[in-house]
Amino acid sequence: MKNLLLFVVSFLMFLSTYTFEVIAQNDGPSLSVGGAVRYNVILTDYEDGTIDNNDAQFTWDTWRINVNAENKGVKLNFEYRFYPTFNTHFVKQGWIGYDFNEKNNIQIGVTQVPFGNLQYNSHNWWFQGPYYVGLEDDHDMGIKYTHTADKWDLMAAYFFQPEPAGPAGGSGSFGFGGSGRYSYDIVPDGNQTNYERNQLNLRGTRTFEIDNGTVNVGASGQVGQIWNQVLDETTSRYALAVHTDINYGNWNFKGQFTNYGMDAQDDNGKSVDFVNMGAYASPYAVATEMNMYSAGLSYSYDVDWGPITNLNFYNDYTYFQKNIDGFNDAHQHVLGFLLSAGDVYTYFDIARGNNHPWLTESFGQGLGQGLNDARWNTRFNINIGYYF
């Protein structure tokens, strides 16, 4: 594994120093600072089977700071988020990049993992199912190279570790462990002091022109290690995906099949059929083997209603098929629309699911063993965001 990692890093550095034609820098240094403030309105129908207006919530979802800078072709992209409801804050992304030319780019730091449909595999505020096992809009610490030629996009990356973790539950857990983070990663909990290390990613897509639209198809692969701190031993993990992103007029379809497996162990050296994954300061159990089938359809409709300029209707679904005897499958279905009005973007979502860790009174349960008679729970969610 070490020789493979050295080869990949050497290859990426070779690409970065090869005789690319450097883009002429006609402009001076640039700096932009922005961010967002978002709120949530929540109404739930969970296991108790009652809808009580007194249980409805109007919460402050998040606020964030974004910084983008460029000087002589060297770029900085940084985003830091604060989540008052979860009593945590953390880096979402923070990378230094360089465009060698219009076709070749390199990023170093906390950057998005090139896996599956990018930037998102979803249309809604909730994401699709792969997000909840760390396989959608994931960000890790490493180096990524992107090559775009004609209608091909090729990406290769090496990640030494996940992104740094912020505090969880009010206590600091800075480093690459802990569940104070934006994207789900394996975190230490209970008798599993496991961490993600040494991850390799390859992703390729091809875009086809069609009448009134485009069809993008691709495949992604990921391999990495799971390091147990107590045993000081590493085991392996992998993930594979095939994906498509189709635009036809005002319609968009995103489809993805994902398969992953993890050879994990606890602190006693015993093989386990679940790992602990964490984000937003709270870890939960996730099955070590799973297939995920996700599909989402959206329709964008322009309007002229005062400040409102667009309505984007969507229907996203994911089926979690756990490949472990005795484990129960899970579902996620989100129906809703996005309303755009100037710099304000508002998601109206009806999210339903069973054995889903976020759609239950018992937060965090569902993606491990799950229940064989899990109830379909519902959450009506309005997310209001001002982006500047």
Side-chain angles (χ1 to χ4, degrees), residues 205-228:
T205 63
R206 173 74 159 86
T207 300
F208 300 89
E209 301 288 340
I210 61 174
D211 290 341
N212 203 28
T214 59
V215 176
N216 181 279
V217 294
S220 302
Q222 174 177 300
V223 294
Q225 294 178 326
I226 302 174
W227 174 56
N228 183 281

PDB file of all heavy atoms in Angstrom, residues 205-228:
ATOM      1  N   THR A 205     -15.780  10.900 -16.265  1.00  0.00           N
ATOM      2  CA  THR A 205     -17.102  11.098 -16.849  1.00  0.00           C
ATOM      3  C   THR A 205     -16.975  11.499 -18.312  1.00  0.00           C
ATOM      4  O   THR A 205     -15.955  12.062 -18.732  1.00  0.00           O
ATOM      5  CB  THR A 205     -17.912  12.184 -16.106  1.00  0.00           C
ATOM      6  OG1 THR A 205     -17.236  13.446 -16.219  1.00  0.00           O
ATOM      7  CG2 THR A 205     -18.090  11.829 -14.640  1.00  0.00           C
ATOM      8  N   ARG A 206     -18.016  11.218 -19.061  1.00  0.00           N
ATOM      9  CA  ARG A 206     -18.084  11.580 -20.475  1.00  0.00           C
ATOM     10  C   ARG A 206     -19.426  12.257 -20.711  1.00  0.00           C
ATOM     11  O   ARG A 206     -20.474  11.779 -20.263  1.00  0.00           O
ATOM     12  CB  ARG A 206     -17.964  10.321 -21.342  1.00  0.00           C
ATOM     13  CG  ARG A 206     -18.192  10.523 -22.845  1.00  0.00           C
ATOM     14  CD  ARG A 206     -17.026  11.217 -23.506  1.00  0.00           C
ATOM     15  NE  ARG A 206     -16.979  10.988 -24.950  1.00  0.00           N
ATOM     16  CZ  ARG A 206     -17.627  11.696 -25.855  1.00  0.00           C
ATOM     17  NH1 ARG A 206     -18.399  12.701 -25.477  1.00  0.00           N
ATOM     18  NH2 ARG A 206     -17.513  11.415 -27.140  1.00  0.00           N
ATOM     19  N   THR A 207     -19.410  13.399 -21.412  1.00  0.00           N
ATOM     20  CA  THR A 207     -20.622  14.160 -21.690  1.00  0.00           C
ATOM     21  C   THR A 207     -20.996  14.028 -23.161  1.00  0.00           C
ATOM     22  O   THR A 207     -20.141  14.215 -24.046  1.00  0.00           O
ATOM     23  CB  THR A 207     -20.440  15.640 -21.326  1.00  0.00           C
ATOM     24  OG1 THR A 207     -20.142  15.746 -19.930  1.00  0.00           O
ATOM     25  CG2 THR A 207     -21.711  16.422 -21.614  1.00  0.00           C
ATOM     26  N   PHE A 208     -22.258  13.725 -23.427  1.00  0.00           N
ATOM     27  CA  PHE A 208     -22.780  13.589 -24.777  1.00  0.00           C
ATOM     28  C   PHE A 208     -23.814  14.691 -25.023  1.00  0.00           C
ATOM     29  O   PHE A 208     -24.665  14.951 -24.170  1.00  0.00           O
ATOM     30  CB  PHE A 208     -23.442  12.216 -24.979  1.00  0.00           C
ATOM     31  CG  PHE A 208     -22.523  11.058 -24.768  1.00  0.00           C
ATOM     32  CD1 PHE A 208     -22.375  10.492 -23.507  1.00  0.00           C
ATOM     33  CD2 PHE A 208     -21.796  10.529 -25.821  1.00  0.00           C
ATOM     34  CE1 PHE A 208     -21.538   9.412 -23.298  1.00  0.00           C
ATOM     35  CE2 PHE A 208     -20.947   9.441 -25.625  1.00  0.00           C
ATOM     36  CZ  PHE A 208     -20.814   8.891 -24.367  1.00  0.00           C
ATOM     37  N   GLU A 209     -23.722  15.314 -26.168  1.00  0.00           N
ATOM     38  CA  GLU A 209     -24.695  16.320 -26.563  1.00  0.00           C
ATOM     39  C   GLU A 209     -25.922  15.648 -27.170  1.00  0.00           C
ATOM     40  O   GLU A 209     -25.798  14.744 -28.008  1.00  0.00           O
ATOM     41  CB  GLU A 209     -24.086  17.289 -27.577  1.00  0.00           C
ATOM     42  CG  GLU A 209     -22.851  18.026 -27.082  1.00  0.00           C
ATOM     43  CD  GLU A 209     -23.175  19.088 -26.050  1.00  0.00           C
ATOM     44  OE1 GLU A 209     -24.361  19.522 -26.002  1.00  0.00           O
ATOM     45  OE2 GLU A 209     -22.274  19.494 -25.308  1.00  0.00           O
ATOM     46  N   ILE A 210     -27.109  16.057 -26.736  1.00  0.00           N
ATOM     47  CA  ILE A 210     -28.350  15.589 -27.324  1.00  0.00           C
ATOM     48  C   ILE A 210     -29.201  16.804 -27.670  1.00  0.00           C
ATOM     49  O   ILE A 210     -28.864  17.927 -27.294  1.00  0.00           O
ATOM     50  CB  ILE A 210     -29.122  14.654 -26.359  1.00  0.00           C
ATOM     51  CG1 ILE A 210     -29.481  15.400 -25.065  1.00  0.00           C
ATOM     52  CG2 ILE A 210     -28.328  13.405 -26.053  1.00  0.00           C
ATOM     53  CD1 ILE A 210     -30.377  14.600 -24.124  1.00  0.00           C
ATOM     54  N   ASP A 211     -30.279  16.575 -28.407  1.00  0.00           N
ATOM     55  CA  ASP A 211     -31.180  17.684 -28.724  1.00  0.00           C
ATOM     56  C   ASP A 211     -31.735  18.272 -27.434  1.00  0.00           C
ATOM     57  O   ASP A 211     -32.310  17.562 -26.611  1.00  0.00           O
ATOM     58  CB  ASP A 211     -32.336  17.190 -29.603  1.00  0.00           C
ATOM     59  CG  ASP A 211     -31.866  16.824 -31.005  1.00  0.00           C
ATOM     60  OD1 ASP A 211     -30.776  17.279 -31.392  1.00  0.00           O
ATOM     61  OD2 ASP A 211     -32.580  16.059 -31.684  1.00  0.00           O
ATOM     62  N   ASN A 212     -31.510  19.560 -27.254  1.00  0.00           N
ATOM     63  CA  ASN A 212     -32.052  20.282 -26.110  1.00  0.00           C
ATOM     64  C   ASN A 212     -31.485  19.822 -24.775  1.00  0.00           C
ATOM     65  O   ASN A 212     -32.145  19.925 -23.740  1.00  0.00           O
ATOM     66  CB  ASN A 212     -33.585  20.166 -26.078  1.00  0.00           C
ATOM     67  CG  ASN A 212     -34.234  21.294 -25.306  1.00  0.00           C
ATOM     68  OD1 ASN A 212     -33.697  22.396 -25.230  1.00  0.00           O
ATOM     69  ND2 ASN A 212     -35.390  21.024 -24.719  1.00  0.00           N
ATOM     70  N   GLY A 213     -30.234  19.300 -24.792  1.00  0.00           N
ATOM     71  CA  GLY A 213     -29.679  18.900 -23.507  1.00  0.00           C
ATOM     72  C   GLY A 213     -28.361  18.162 -23.603  1.00  0.00           C
ATOM     73  O   GLY A 213     -27.706  18.123 -24.654  1.00  0.00           O
ATOM     74  N   THR A 214     -27.968  17.550 -22.482  1.00  0.00           N
ATOM     75  CA  THR A 214     -26.717  16.801 -22.378  1.00  0.00           C
ATOM     76  C   THR A 214     -26.947  15.560 -21.523  1.00  0.00           C
ATOM     77  O   THR A 214     -27.823  15.525 -20.651  1.00  0.00           O
ATOM     78  CB  THR A 214     -25.593  17.626 -21.729  1.00  0.00           C
ATOM     79  OG1 THR A 214     -25.992  18.039 -20.412  1.00  0.00           O
ATOM     80  CG2 THR A 214     -25.241  18.843 -22.567  1.00  0.00           C
ATOM     81  N   VAL A 215     -26.117  14.540 -21.761  1.00  0.00           N
ATOM     82  CA  VAL A 215     -26.100  13.323 -20.951  1.00  0.00           C
ATOM     83  C   VAL A 215     -24.675  13.116 -20.458  1.00  0.00           C
ATOM     84  O   VAL A 215     -23.745  13.000 -21.266  1.00  0.00           O
ATOM     85  CB  VAL A 215     -26.577  12.091 -21.746  1.00  0.00           C
ATOM     86  CG1 VAL A 215     -26.445  10.830 -20.893  1.00  0.00           C
ATOM     87  CG2 VAL A 215     -28.011  12.269 -22.212  1.00  0.00           C
ATOM     88  N   ASN A 216     -24.507  13.091 -19.152  1.00  0.00           N
ATOM     89  CA  ASN A 216     -23.200  12.851 -18.539  1.00  0.00           C
ATOM     90  C   ASN A 216     -23.229  11.491 -17.853  1.00  0.00           C
ATOM     91  O   ASN A 216     -24.104  11.221 -17.027  1.00  0.00           O
ATOM     92  CB  ASN A 216     -22.898  13.962 -17.520  1.00  0.00           C
ATOM     93  CG  ASN A 216     -21.541  13.792 -16.862  1.00  0.00           C
ATOM     94  OD1 ASN A 216     -21.395  13.021 -15.923  1.00  0.00           O
ATOM     95  ND2 ASN A 216     -20.557  14.529 -17.337  1.00  0.00           N
ATOM     96  N   VAL A 217     -22.285  10.623 -18.210  1.00  0.00           N
ATOM     97  CA  VAL A 217     -22.196   9.299 -17.595  1.00  0.00           C
ATOM     98  C   VAL A 217     -20.777   9.114 -17.072  1.00  0.00           C
ATOM     99  O   VAL A 217     -19.808   9.650 -17.636  1.00  0.00           O
ATOM    100  CB  VAL A 217     -22.559   8.173 -18.580  1.00  0.00           C
ATOM    101  CG1 VAL A 217     -24.011   8.256 -18.980  1.00  0.00           C
ATOM    102  CG2 VAL A 217     -21.665   8.219 -19.819  1.00  0.00           C
ATOM    103  N   GLY A 218     -20.647   8.356 -15.987  1.00  0.00           N
ATOM    104  CA  GLY A 218     -19.320   8.178 -15.418  1.00  0.00           C
ATOM    105  C   GLY A 218     -19.249   7.056 -14.406  1.00  0.00           C
ATOM    106  O   GLY A 218     -20.247   6.400 -14.087  1.00  0.00           O
ATOM    107  N   ALA A 219     -18.044   6.857 -13.909  1.00  0.00           N
ATOM    108  CA  ALA A 219     -17.775   5.844 -12.897  1.00  0.00           C
ATOM    109  C   ALA A 219     -16.748   6.390 -11.917  1.00  0.00           C
ATOM    110  O   ALA A 219     -15.895   7.215 -12.280  1.00  0.00           O
ATOM    111  CB  ALA A 219     -17.276   4.555 -13.535  1.00  0.00           C
ATOM    112  N   SER A 220     -16.842   5.931 -10.668  1.00  0.00           N
ATOM    113  CA  SER A 220     -15.942   6.381  -9.610  1.00  0.00           C
ATOM    114  C   SER A 220     -15.466   5.182  -8.807  1.00  0.00           C
ATOM    115  O   SER A 220     -16.216   4.221  -8.600  1.00  0.00           O
ATOM    116  CB  SER A 220     -16.648   7.365  -8.667  1.00  0.00           C
ATOM    117  OG  SER A 220     -17.149   8.483  -9.353  1.00  0.00           O
ATOM    118  N   GLY A 221     -14.227   5.251  -8.347  1.00  0.00           N
ATOM    119  CA  GLY A 221     -13.669   4.216  -7.485  1.00  0.00           C
ATOM    120  C   GLY A 221     -12.909   4.824  -6.330  1.00  0.00           C
ATOM    121  O   GLY A 221     -12.279   5.887  -6.475  1.00  0.00           O
ATOM    122  N   GLN A 222     -12.976   4.160  -5.186  1.00  0.00           N
ATOM    123  CA  GLN A 222     -12.310   4.651  -3.977  1.00  0.00           C
ATOM    124  C   GLN A 222     -11.799   3.475  -3.167  1.00  0.00           C
ATOM    125  O   GLN A 222     -12.515   2.501  -2.950  1.00  0.00           O
ATOM    126  CB  GLN A 222     -13.313   5.464  -3.151  1.00  0.00           C
ATOM    127  CG  GLN A 222     -12.828   5.924  -1.785  1.00  0.00           C
ATOM    128  CD  GLN A 222     -13.860   6.782  -1.077  1.00  0.00           C
ATOM    129  OE1 GLN A 222     -14.263   7.835  -1.574  1.00  0.00           O
ATOM    130  NE2 GLN A 222     -14.314   6.338   0.097  1.00  0.00           N
ATOM    131  N   VAL A 223     -10.546   3.554  -2.726  1.00  0.00           N
ATOM    132  CA  VAL A 223      -9.972   2.561  -1.813  1.00  0.00           C
ATOM    133  C   VAL A 223      -9.264   3.314  -0.693  1.00  0.00           C
ATOM    134  O   VAL A 223      -8.784   4.441  -0.889  1.00  0.00           O
ATOM    135  CB  VAL A 223      -8.990   1.608  -2.516  1.00  0.00           C
ATOM    136  CG1 VAL A 223      -9.702   0.740  -3.542  1.00  0.00           C
ATOM    137  CG2 VAL A 223      -7.844   2.376  -3.168  1.00  0.00           C
ATOM    138  N   GLY A 224      -9.216   2.702   0.476  1.00  0.00           N
ATOM    139  CA  GLY A 224      -8.567   3.359   1.600  1.00  0.00           C
ATOM    140  C   GLY A 224      -8.336   2.393   2.750  1.00  0.00           C
ATOM    141  O   GLY A 224      -8.595   1.194   2.647  1.00  0.00           O
ATOM    142  N   GLN A 225      -7.878   2.952   3.860  1.00  0.00           N
ATOM    143  CA  GLN A 225      -7.579   2.172   5.039  1.00  0.00           C
ATOM    144  C   GLN A 225      -8.445   2.611   6.216  1.00  0.00           C
ATOM    145  O   GLN A 225      -8.920   3.753   6.263  1.00  0.00           O
ATOM    146  CB  GLN A 225      -6.107   2.321   5.431  1.00  0.00           C
ATOM    147  CG  GLN A 225      -5.115   1.750   4.425  1.00  0.00           C
ATOM    148  CD  GLN A 225      -3.678   1.974   4.863  1.00  0.00           C
ATOM    149  OE1 GLN A 225      -3.356   2.983   5.478  1.00  0.00           O
ATOM    150  NE2 GLN A 225      -2.812   1.038   4.530  1.00  0.00           N
ATOM    151  N   ILE A 226      -8.648   1.680   7.160  1.00  0.00           N
ATOM    152  CA  ILE A 226      -9.242   1.976   8.457  1.00  0.00           C
ATOM    153  C   ILE A 226      -8.186   1.658   9.510  1.00  0.00           C
ATOM    154  O   ILE A 226      -7.748   0.503   9.619  1.00  0.00           O
ATOM    155  CB  ILE A 226     -10.513   1.148   8.713  1.00  0.00           C
ATOM    156  CG1 ILE A 226     -11.546   1.392   7.618  1.00  0.00           C
ATOM    157  CG2 ILE A 226     -11.094   1.487  10.088  1.00  0.00           C
ATOM    158  CD1 ILE A 226     -12.771   0.495   7.723  1.00  0.00           C
ATOM    159  N   TRP A 227      -7.755   2.686  10.223  1.00  0.00           N
ATOM    160  CA  TRP A 227      -6.712   2.510  11.237  1.00  0.00           C
ATOM    161  C   TRP A 227      -7.347   2.416  12.612  1.00  0.00           C
ATOM    162  O   TRP A 227      -8.102   3.302  13.027  1.00  0.00           O
ATOM    163  CB  TRP A 227      -5.727   3.679  11.187  1.00  0.00           C
ATOM    164  CG  TRP A 227      -4.708   3.668  12.286  1.00  0.00           C
ATOM    165  CD1 TRP A 227      -3.836   2.654  12.588  1.00  0.00           C
ATOM    166  CD2 TRP A 227      -4.453   4.706  13.239  1.00  0.00           C
ATOM    167  NE1 TRP A 227      -3.042   2.992  13.667  1.00  0.00           N
ATOM    168  CE2 TRP A 227      -3.410   4.259  14.094  1.00  0.00           C
ATOM    169  CE3 TRP A 227      -4.999   5.969  13.461  1.00  0.00           C
ATOM    170  CZ2 TRP A 227      -2.909   5.035  15.130  1.00  0.00           C
ATOM    171  CZ3 TRP A 227      -4.508   6.751  14.494  1.00  0.00           C
ATOM    172  CH2 TRP A 227      -3.477   6.280  15.310  1.00  0.00           C
ATOM    173  N   ASN A 228      -7.048   1.297  13.331  1.00  0.00           N
ATOM    174  CA  ASN A 228      -7.495   1.154  14.710  1.00  0.00           C
ATOM    175  C   ASN A 228      -6.369   1.613  15.625  1.00  0.00           C
ATOM    176  O   ASN A 228      -5.279   1.029  15.625  1.00  0.00           O
ATOM    177  CB  ASN A 228      -7.875  -0.297  15.016  1.00  0.00           C
ATOM    178  CG  ASN A 228      -8.416  -0.466  16.422  1.00  0.00           C
ATOM    179  OD1 ASN A 228      -7.665  -0.517  17.392  1.00  0.00           O
ATOM    180  ND2 ASN A 228      -9.727  -0.548  16.533  1.00  0.00           N
TER     181      ASN A 228
END
